[in-house]
Each structure stands twice: as structure tokens, then as C-alpha cells.
């Protein structure tokens, strides 16, 4: 069975050496001393490796079962969920007035990585709840906040997001679920929603559904969509639970993975709901959840890649097969370990350089969110808004690829379920799809985010790269800064191509949208590796007591630069071929 | 449920317009008239779309079940296998004296694509049998051939390959299964083999196992391995079945996919076996099967990509979601079909340009095999030997990627098993692993095949590309020949880098082996697309009655050149970074 060890040392390095969190003028960051974060990470790591990771395969094997309208979660999930509640993990970054601990998002992010790595399916029950609570926090009335948040912050009640219907996923304007105004100010919600994560389960007293629906007679399409709070059990004035609401799980989907998470068809039959936020502004309110959810999904890409890598690495060190081409390395054994072989090493280095780089990228993104929220910094808000589709789309595409590569290290055993490597790929696959399929992320990036605020944020990003390169022009940094500069130049050339051609023909830009998203992801990770190289070069120059750690960082940075970053030129060439190759056929010529 | 339609029109185009089979001076090719191959392909296509494709999901859902030593195949498999026998499909290219039809391998290849596409798991029962029969044909005594081949050629008896043991996959020198000589000239085989495809099942009267084992006291390692014929039921002098042999299936593996195919742990307990081929030359005999098997596995990559593409395309035309950015295209509907969106189009074009290019590549490879076997042409033999790891490794890596992209077109529905797209990715995944994991293919290519016969075959390949480019220097061919030239130049530069650096440090070559395999795959497919472009340009110039077909070919060729071929520069850049980035860390620094 695979195992998981929380990468606390690397997390500490990123938080303190790279991001230097206590130096940042963000409220709450001054408390994030090295010892304090170490204590949190160690504690959370323990819970994840000892309790949740062993349940990962249980969840996969048993799955969720629907019987008589009740969904039974896998053996051990309920007790483990109680442990998450007891530890206060779910509300780490939630306001204290509702039972949270008001910690910065960046530290919550570190714990989220562990949850997403040890047991992605399990983590989603709390993840969805966090998203729903955030939406109520941002858009709810004082009454709504008081009614739901104290219970939701620590997952006594869990939450859901209800968007998709059988005939509409991305195009929510086609939605048919209706919300009819009632005399008491509530709405009667009727319709069917599909793919509802944690829509029904046995781990919480109540489930608070956030449901998109249309009020009859409202504006057509997406402009007529509103968001509603629909609790599974109605809540009495005194906070106690009342009657069962008119919402039920009709079916559990048979999925490729994340079997421990119930994915429900939810039927709303005149269920009582209350408007959350403004009338017909449902998408705006939903986006509060979705941006957070998208970052969380990007995290799943990294997290599954990391746990898969940990196990692939252990196997590569343990499994004896063949001899090193440069001479026997394990003379006492019948063969050398897999890790001596260059192609296995390439595979492992791909994984290592991705996961460590992606971790820095996401943690940096989390500091932008803190800066945006805690300091009301519009520039940081704009930058993270630009980065969100990259974090979601690029990290899940690559994260999935890395789980497949990790599986490959196991040879035939990787294809056998009992070794556990298959589950990582099956679970990671969904992250490329939900919360906006990655093609939609690319469209969001190129069709919307690039031009947002007159292109201010993407220009700020280029400026940031440029000024980093300028500040680190010393020779020791050349192996890192040189490739970063080139990749950034490629990215700018792609942006220029879009500007020059996209106005005339939007397809010329959109045909290259996925390529652009990948280029930008590479440049972001390269920037992170260059920053880490700076830190580790300095540490070595200053006589760090842990030179091996920093030398390993430098070697891994050089790997990313040499072996991953050349992808930007390929993406640029594809982009510059424009719309014609992509749109060359009429639909009926296929 | 997904469906499958055999691409007979495209196959005919490749056989007759591109490869011009009847013009080739290969015995048997003169019979391959257009009408004749059409009849075969239509008939085989019918069997595959109507009988085998509907059983694909049945096989996936039911799987194979082991009870009391007997393996039960999924409902309908047995009857379908009888239909394959009745049609004579299994022995299409086998000698007439053993009940085959002695047709060229190229036409068998076309039918194999259909079998591998409609139902990969099912196809393996006949595929393994074909491989085992080929080994007996090549290395068996007259007695052995007479005993086994008449029954195996048409799958009355099926065959298996037994290589892997729990502690050794690639490194077969570690093998422990032993073969003890008996007084009657037979051997007693004892040991455990794992991952044995079709090792036990209920679709044939007898199963003929080909088993690698070591004779005690023989040479150490791989040089002491011999190959044995071990039938499930001993065969009496008169050809009737005798006693059950000492071999049994101990377990069926729980795999990620190809559930319809039994993957068995086989226990040999003093089973009676007979030496096949020369003593201690088991690997040589086994390789007769493995080269064929590798081509067949490469075919699985293409085949699964094709069936996944067919279904993704149908979904993209049918599913209404969003509006085209350039203006409404389906004004009468609530939304436009997915296929209007540039990123969906990019995805589909990736799939289309891969599958059609890969088909030409494999069919061309099959003509090389015919030329090698039927004309005893050593150059053709050397060239296909060079191409085998590329056909296996590149086509299965890419084929898998394409099934994942096809799944992505379905959005959330792609993750739900009932839509069937998940199965294509799960089934396709194994092809990257078995018959030599793709890293081993890359090692075979760079470490062995490039230098084979003093590099003669790779030079011949470069010469072939060069002379094609020279013969097609007219302006209309520039969009195809230009990119092909550049990609071929990249490939040669990579080869040059290996020559200059690999002697000093083998890791400098092996670190780039997977990249080289991919580069070479791209150049081969680009050569195929350039050849197809020539054919279709000429057809259009000559007033073909089907201009739409040929224009579609040209547009798809341009797509491959513009959007896939830029990968070669990336692979070259990686290769030229040498061994240092890949081997920069000591094993314990990971």
C-alpha cells in the first residue's frame, strides 16, 4: 500500500526562506514564526499520514453507497472526519467570530496540500464546505451568516455547490432549475443538478446546498441566474434542525476515481431556498466559491503528483532491475536499483522539479490572496485573478501527467490496482475537468484575464520577471535567469501575437489558448525556481548547516530550466501558426 | 454507449493511394486489388462494429472471474470468439499448410487495427495466440509444428507468453523458474509467472504456454534462459487431448483496465514442457514473438486513440454548449455544438492528425515486414527493427494521450464510467507498459538500434527522408516538406549529439532516449503526412471525384506540421542539455 509523508521541510523552506512570510506586511503574517508554522505543519502532517492516507485505498475500494436515500461513506471516514473537526483544521482561515482561527490563507494552503495528497476524495467534503461558507461569508445577510456559519466553519454541517445540469455544464445560461418566489420571502426550488460533490453523505448533521436557479420571468440566459441557500434540513429559529427539505439524492455516479467522495444527482422538488446575494447575480456570488475552488483544484494536481512521486521514488530505490550502464552500483545485490537508470532518473526529476516548483507557485499565489484580502490590495487581487486559470489548468494538466509518469516507474505493477499507483492517476484525472474544464481555464486566461484592466496585470507580471532578472544578473544566477528570460520572452511574443491577430480574428488567439496557459505555467514555475536558486545560493554562500538540501535545490532548478522550460518555444511556434491549422476544416469535413 | 466504425475508407487510401501495394514487388501483393481488400475490410469492419464493439463495455464491467481454477470470460466473449474462428480472421497471414490464408502481413495489420479498436481486451486472446504460433513456426521442430500449429492458427487452441516473475520484469536474467531435464527428453517446469495474458480462460480446448525458464547448471543470467512449450492439456500422439499438465492459474490480477482479458498468476509445478528452439537461446526465440507483439501493442495505441476520437467527435458535434466567438452557428438551437470552439477543435485535430498519420506509419511498417519476410530483404528487416521501438513506444505514449484528450471533450461526463470514454484511457494505459515499458523501448532504440549494423539503418532512414524532400521540392509541397526537413534536421542533430557524447558518457545519450524516441516518431509521422499530401495534391490536380476527402487530408497534414512537429525542437533542446541535469543528484539526495 502506498504511503504519504507530509513535505514539511520543503514547506518551511518555501514559507520562510523563499516567501519570507514574517517579513511581509500582511496582517497576521507576523505570527507565522518558523516554530509556529512548524508545529502546525507537523501536527497536520501526522493526521494526514497516519489517519487519512491509510483510508485513501479504503475509500477507493468501498466507494460511497446509496441505499434508501442515504449515502454511506467508506469505513473509517466518519471517525476521521471527527478528527478533522477536533483539530480545527477546516476553519483554520475562517473568522474567529464563527469559530475559525483567522489564520492567513497561506498557512491554510499548506495544510490543504496535505489533505489533497493523503486522501483527495476525503478532503473534498471539507473543501466544498469551505467554499460554500466563503460564499455565505461574502454575500450572506447577517442572519444567514449567523444561522449557517458557526456550524459550517468547522464542518458540523457541510456544504455543496450546485451548478451543472444534464444538458449544461460550462454553458450555465441553458439552466432549467427554477426558483419560484413564495409569500414568506423564500423560494421553491425545482430541478435536477448533477455531479454534486458531497451532495449527500452520513458525516454531518446537515448539508447546506448552494444552488443556482432561475426565477421565472427573469432575464434570459446567464443574466437570469440567482444563487440560493437550500439546507437539507430546515433550520429552526433557535438553530435546531427542523423538517427535511424537498431535496434528495437520486443516484450516485460510477466514476473513474475519487470513489470515497459521493458524486450525486440531486433532485430538488419544490425545496425551500433563500436568495444568497443579489437577485440575478448568482454567478457573481458563485464565483466567490469558484476562484477558491479553482485554486484548491490546482492544489490537487500538485498534491496527487507529490504523493505519487513519493511512492515512485521509494520503489525506484527499492526495486532491483538491471545494471547501471556506467558500472555496477550495487555489487552485493543481484541487480542495481531502478534509480540508477537515466530514463528512470529523467522521469523522477520531472516529477520532483514539478512538485517543488508547483508548491512554491501555489504558496506564492496564496500570499497574493492574503495580500488582496487582508490589505485590500487591488493589484494583488488582479494578479491572482490572472493566475487562477494557470494555477488550475496548468497544475492539473501537469499534475496528472506526473501521476502517470509515477505509475510508469512501477512497470506492470503500476497497472495493478493493489499497488495503489493507479488510484493516484484516476483521482488526479478529475482535477483537469471539474471547476471549469482546463480548456475553459485557457479561454478564461486568454479571452478575459489577459485584457483585464487594460492588460495591467499581465504587464505587472512581466515587469516582475524582468526586475527579478535584473536584480539577479550575477554570474552564479545565469543558469537560472538565462532560461527564465528566454521563456518570458517567448510568453511575451505569444501575447503580442494575440494582440496583433486576435482583434481581427478571435480564433487566432483562442486556437492558442491552451498553449498559452501552459507557457505561462512554465514561466511561473521557472520564476519560482529562480527565486529558490537565489535563496539556496545565498544559503550556501553564508555557510548553511544543511548544504546538501540547498545543493539539491540548485540541481533540481537546473533540471527544470534545462528540461522543462524548452517547452515554451514549442508552444510559441504552435501559437504563431494561428487559427488556420486549427480551424482549417469545416465541421462536416471531420 | 460508445460505438466503433472501422475506418475502411482511410485504410483503402493508405493501402492503395499512398503505399500502392499492388505496385510493390512483394509476393502476394499482386492479389491485393482494391476490390479484394475492400471486401476483407468491410467484412472485418462489420464483425468489429456489430459484434465485438458492443462487448467492449461488457468485458470491462464483468471482467474475468476465477473460480475453482477455471477462468470465466465475460458474457458473449465465447460466442464472439467462435465468430472470429469461423471468419478465419486469426490465421489470415499464417501458412496455408497449417490452415491459414497466407495473406500479406499488411492486410492482417489492417484487420488487427479493427480488433484492437473495437475491443482491445478481447483481441488479445487471438493476438497472443498469433505470437505464440509465430514462435513455434520460426523455431519449432517439424513435429512441434504439426502438433500445435493446425490447432493454434485458427485459435482452436490459444497461446501465451510467460516471461515476468514477481521480482523480475525487464531484467529477465534474474529469472528463477527452472526446467529440469527428464529421461523422456521433456523438461519439468517449476516456478511462478505473473502478468500472463490469457493464461487461463474458457474459450479454447487447450492453451499452449510458451515459458522462459532456466535449466539448472546452465549459464548464469540471461544467457541461461531457454524457451519451452508447456500445454495446459498434454497432447496425445493422435492429436487428441490427454492429461491435465501441472500448470494452474493461481490468481487473476485486479487491473486498471482491459478487464475482459484474464491476466493470470501462473503456477508451474513440475509441468511437462518441451524445449522450443535452441538450448539457452530462449530470448532469441522469444523475440520472434516480442517484435511482432511490440508492433501489435503500438497498434493498440493507435486503435484506442481512433475509437476514442470517433466518439469524441460525435459528442463534439452533438453537444450544444456556448456560442462560437465569431458568431452564432446554430441559430435555431439554444447553443452551438462544442465543435465550433477553437480549443475543442485543437483537441480534435490533435487526435485526427495523430490517428491518420499513425495508421499510415504502422501500415508502412507492415509492408517493411512483408518485404523483409517475403523477399528476404535485410535492409527492410534492419529498418523495421529500428522502427519497432518507435512504433511501440511513441504510438502508445501518444495514443494514450489522445484517449485522455478525447475523454476531455466530454467534460464531466468523460469521468463517468457509463459514457465509456474512461475505459478507452484505462485500456490504452497498459500499452505503454507491457511488451517492454516505453522507457525500455527508448533504451533499445538509442542504446542498440541506432548503432546496429554500424548505423546503416538510421542512415538509410535519413536518406529516405532526404530523397523524398528532394523529389518533392515543388512549391505546392513546401508547407509539408519544409517542416519535415526541419524536424529531420533536429533528429540528425540529436543523433550527432549522441555520437559525440555517448561514447565518453553513455548517460549523455540515455538521458535523452525518450526524447529521441518521440522525435523520431514525429519525423516518421511527418514523413507519412508529407507522402499523403503528395498523393492528395496529385489527386486534386488530376480531378479526383472526391475532392473533399483530399482537401481534408491536406488540411490535416498542415495541422500536424504546424502544431505537432514543433515538438522536435523541444526534444532536441532537452537532449542537448546532456546527462548533467538528469544525473545531477546522487540517489540519496532525492
Amino acid at each position: 500500500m502506498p504511503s504519504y509523508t507530509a513535505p514539511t521541510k520543503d514547506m518551511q523552506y518555501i514559507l520562510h526562506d523563499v516567501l519570507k512570510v514574517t517579513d511581509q506586511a500582511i496582517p497576521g503574517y507576523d505570527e507565522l514564526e518558523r516554530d509556529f508554522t512548524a508545529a502546525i505543519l507537523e501536527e497536520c502532517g501526522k493526521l494526514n499520514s497516519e489517519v487519512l492516507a491509510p483510508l485513501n485505498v479504503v475509500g477507493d475500494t468501498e466507494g460511497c453507497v446509496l441505499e434508501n436515500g442515504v449515502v454511506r461513506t467508506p469505513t473509517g471516514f466518519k471517525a476521521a472526519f471527527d478528527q478533522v473537526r477536533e483539530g480545527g483544521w477546516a476553519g483554520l482561515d475562517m473568522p474567529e467570530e464563527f469559530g475559525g482561527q483567522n489564520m492567513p490563507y497561506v498557512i491554510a494552503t499548506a495544510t490543504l496540500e496535505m489533505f489533497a495528497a493523503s486522501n483527495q476524495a476525503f478532503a473534498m467534503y471539507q473543501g466544498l464546505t469551505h467554499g460554500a461558507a466563503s460564499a455565505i461569508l461574502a454575500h450572506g445577510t447577517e442572519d444567514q451568516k449567523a444561522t449557517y456559519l458557526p456550524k459550517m466553519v468547522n464542518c458540523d454541517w457541510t456544504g455543496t455547490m450546485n451548478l451543472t445540469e444534464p444538458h449544461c455544464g460550462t454553458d450555465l445560461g441553458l439552466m432549467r432549475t427554477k426558483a419560484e418566489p413564495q409569500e414568506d420571502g423564500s423560494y421553491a426550488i425545482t430541478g435536477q443538478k448533477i455531479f454534486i460533490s458531497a451532495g449527500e453523505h452520513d458525516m454531518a448533521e446537515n448539508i447546506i446546498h448552494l444552488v443556482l436557479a432561475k426565477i421565472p420571468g427573469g432575464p434570459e440566459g446567464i443574466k437570469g441566474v440567482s444563487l440560493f441557500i437550500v439546507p437539507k434540513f430546515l433550520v429552526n429559529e433557535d438553530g435546531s434542525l427542523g423538517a427535511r427539505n424537498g431535496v434528495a439524492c437520486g443516484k450516485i455516479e460510477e466514476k473513474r476515481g475519487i470513489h470515497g467522495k459521493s458524486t450525486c444527482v440531486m433532485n430538488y422538488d419544490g425545496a425551500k431556498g433563500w436568495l444568497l446575494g443579489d437577485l440575478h447575480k448568482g454567478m457573481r456570488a458563485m464565483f466567490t466559491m469558484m476562484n477558491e475552488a479553482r485554486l484548491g483544484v490546482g492544489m490537487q494536481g500538485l498534491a496527487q503528483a507529490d504523493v505519487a512521486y513519493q511512492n515512485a521514488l521509494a520503489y525506484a530505490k527499492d526495486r532491483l532491475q538491471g545494471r547501471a550502464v556506467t558500472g555496477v552500483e550495487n555489487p552485493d545485490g543481484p541487480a542495481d536499483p531502478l534509480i540508477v537508470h537515466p530514463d528512470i532518473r529523467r522521469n523522477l526529476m520531472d516529477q520532483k522539479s514539478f512538485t517543488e516548483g508547483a508548491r512554491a507557485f501555489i504558496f506564492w499565489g496564496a500570499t497574493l490572496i492574503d495580500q488582496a484580502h487582508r490589505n485590500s490590495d487591488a493589484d494583488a487581487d488582479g494578479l491572482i485573478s490572472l493566475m487562477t486559470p494557470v494555477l488550475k489548468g496548468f497544475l492539473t494538466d501537469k499534475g496528472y501527467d506526473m501521476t502517470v509518469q509515477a505509475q510508469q516507474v512501477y512497470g506492470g505493477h503500476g497497472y495493478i490496482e493493489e499497488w495503489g499507483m493507479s488510484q493516484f492517476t484516476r483521482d488526479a484525472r478529475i482535477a483537469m475537468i471539474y471547476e471549469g474544464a482546463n480548456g475553459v481555464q485557457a479561454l478564461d486566461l486568454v479571452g478575459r484575464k489577459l485584457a483585464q484592466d487594460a492588460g495591467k496585470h499581465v504587464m505587472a507580471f512581466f515587469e516582475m520577471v524582468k526586475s527579478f532578472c535584473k536584480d539577479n544578473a550575477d554570474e552564479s544566477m545565469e543558469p537560472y535567469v538565462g532560461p527564465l528570460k528566454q521563456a518570458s520572452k517567448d510568453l511575451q511574443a505569444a501575447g503580442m501575437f494575440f494582440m496583433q491577430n486576435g482583434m481581427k480574428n478571435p480564433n487566432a488567439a483562442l486556437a492558442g489558448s491552451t498553449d498559452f496557459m501552459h507557457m505561462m505555467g512554465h514561466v511561473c514555475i521557472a520564476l519560482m525556481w529562480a527565486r529558490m536558486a537565489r535563496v539556496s545560493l545565498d544559503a550556501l554562500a553564508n555557510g548553511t548547516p544543511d548544504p546538501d538540501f540547498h545543493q539539491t535545490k540548485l540541481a533540481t532548478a537546473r533540471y527544470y530550466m534545462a528540461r522543462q522550460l524548452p517547452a515554451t518555444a514549442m508552444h510559441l511556434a504552435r501559437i504563431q501558426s494561428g487559427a488556420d491549422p486549427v480551424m482549417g476544416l469545416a465541421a462536416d469535413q471531420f
Side-chain angles (χ1 to χ4, degrees), chain A residues 106-267:
Chain A
V106 72
I107 189 73
T109 296
T111 67
L112 284 179
E113 181 189 324
M114 300 181 193
F115 287 107
S118 70
N119 196 324
Q120 178 178 333
F122 180 90
M124 292 182 71
Y125 293 94
Q126 74 195 74
L128 269 294
T129 306
H130 193 279
S134 296
I136 294 174
L137 193 62
H139 302 283
T141 62
E142 290 311 311
D143 254 14
Q144 289 172 333
K145 290 191 216 176
T147 304
Y148 300 107
L149 291 182
K151 290 289 191 177
M152 291 179 76
V153 156
N154 206 24
C155 288
D156 291 327
W157 298 351
T158 62
T160 71
M161 300 167 62
N162 290 244
L163 293 82
T164 307
E165 300 182 8
H167 63 289
C168 69
T170 301
D171 190 354
L172 291 168
L174 302 176
M175 184 175 297
R176 291 180 194 147
T177 298
K178 62 180 180 188
E180 291 168 306
Q182 305 296 299
E183 287 192 357
D184 64 355
S186 72
Y187 291 79
I189 314 288
T190 302
Q192 188 178 66
K193 296 287 183 177
I194 63 170
F195 303 157
I196 307 308
S197 293
E200 181 59 51
H201 61 85
D202 57 1
M203 302 200 297
E205 300 158 15
N206 202 2
I207 300 175
I208 311 304
H209 303 290
L210 299 195
V211 185
L212 286 180
K214 283 182 173 176
I215 297 166
E220 286 291 302
I222 198 71
K223 289 178 181 154
V225 168
S226 303
L227 185 60
F228 299 88
I229 302 179
V230 185
K232 174 179 166 183
F233 290 102
L234 298 175
V235 184
N236 297 325
E237 289 274 330
D238 65 356
S240 64
L241 296 186
R244 177 75 191 245
N245 205 350
V247 48
C249 171
K251 183 188 170 190
I252 289 195
E253 302 284 3
E254 180 64 39
K255 307 183 300 290
R256 176 197 184 88
I258 49 168
H259 294 141
K261 189 217 72 178
S262 62
T263 299
C264 304
V265 173
M266 298 301 295
N267 295 318

Side-chain angles (χ1 to χ4, degrees), chain A residues 13 480 532-555 558:
Chain A
Y13 168 74
Y480 315 99
M532 292 192 269
R534 171 82 280 161
V535 165
S536 286
L537 281 170
D538 290 350
L540 287 165
N542 295 330
T544 168
D546 196 359
D548 202 52
F549 177 85
H550 293 286
Q551 270 147 6
T552 300
K553 279 284 170 199
L554 293 174
R558 286 194 299 272

Side-chain angles (χ1 to χ4, degrees), chain A residues 259-383:
Chain A
H259 294 141
K261 189 217 72 178
S262 62
T263 299
C264 304
V265 173
M266 298 301 295
N267 295 318
Y268 292 85
D269 185 14
K272 219 177 204 0
W274 288 269
L275 186 69
L276 175 61
D278 296 335
L279 200 67
H280 306 319
K281 300 274 192 254
M283 287 310 292
R284 220 188 95 222
M286 192 51 102
F287 263 100
T288 310
M289 296 167 70
M290 281 176 62
N291 278 333
E292 181 188 303
R294 284 175 176 179
L295 204 83
V297 172
M299 177 62 92
Q300 292 178 348
L302 154 63
Q304 288 296 304
D306 187 47
V307 66
Y309 166 65
Q310 290 184 18
N311 287 280
L313 176 61
Y315 190 81
K317 287 180 171 180
D318 183 60
R319 172 87 170 175
L320 305 180
Q321 207 78 176
R323 291 292 186 187
V325 67
T326 46
V328 171
E329 297 207 5
N330 176 33
D332 299 336
D336 289 338
L338 285 180
I339 199 170
V340 305
H341 302 301
D343 192 64
I344 294 285
R345 194 67 74 94
R346 165 198 65 78
N347 185 344
L348 293 171
M349 288 298 292
D350 277 349
Q351 297 174 56
K352 182 177 172 62
S353 64
F354 169 76
T355 53
E356 295 178 12
R359 180 173 297 126
F361 184 19
I362 293 198
F363 282 28
W364 172 58
T367 64
L368 291 177
I369 289 181
D370 281 327
Q371 173 70 6
H373 290 178
R374 293 180 172 236
N375 279 333
S376 302
D377 182 330
D379 288 342
D381 195 53
L383 193 54

Side-chain angles (χ1 to χ4, degrees), chain A residues 36 72 86 216 231 334 349 363 495 508 560:
Chain A
F36 179 68
R72 202 171 61 239
E86 279 156 28
M349 288 298 292
F363 282 28
Y560 199 88

Side-chain angles (χ1 to χ4, degrees), chain A residues 474-490:
Chain A
D474 49 304
E475 205 187 318
S476 64
M477 279 294 285
E478 174 53 28
Y480 315 99
V481 163
L484 171 62
K485 255 189 205 162
Q486 180 56 48
S488 175
K489 222 172 103 183
D490 288 343

Side-chain angles (χ1 to χ4, degrees), chain A residues 4-7 11 40-56 77 80-93 101 107-128 130 154-155 258 296 299-304 306-307 363 423-424 427 434:
Chain A
Y4 173 68
T5 307
M11 288 178 167
I40 294 177
L41 297 181
E42 289 302 332
E43 191 64 21
C44 190
K46 222 174 116 183
L47 174 67
N48 277 281
S49 27
E50 295 175 10
V51 179
L52 303 181
L55 289 177
N56 195 38
F77 269 42
F81 206 54
D82 283 339
Q83 280 189 261
V84 172
R85 288 186 182 108
E86 279 156 28
W89 296 111
L92 215 57
D93 61 333
Q101 301 187 50
I107 189 73
T109 296
T111 67
L112 284 179
E113 181 189 324
M114 300 181 193
F115 287 107
S118 70
N119 196 324
Q120 178 178 333
F122 180 90
M124 292 182 71
Y125 293 94
Q126 74 195 74
L128 269 294
H130 193 279
N154 206 24
C155 288
I258 49 168
M299 177 62 92
Q300 292 178 348
L302 154 63
Q304 288 296 304
D306 187 47
V307 66
F363 282 28
Q423 186 188 351
F424 298 136
D427 289 359
Y434 58 20

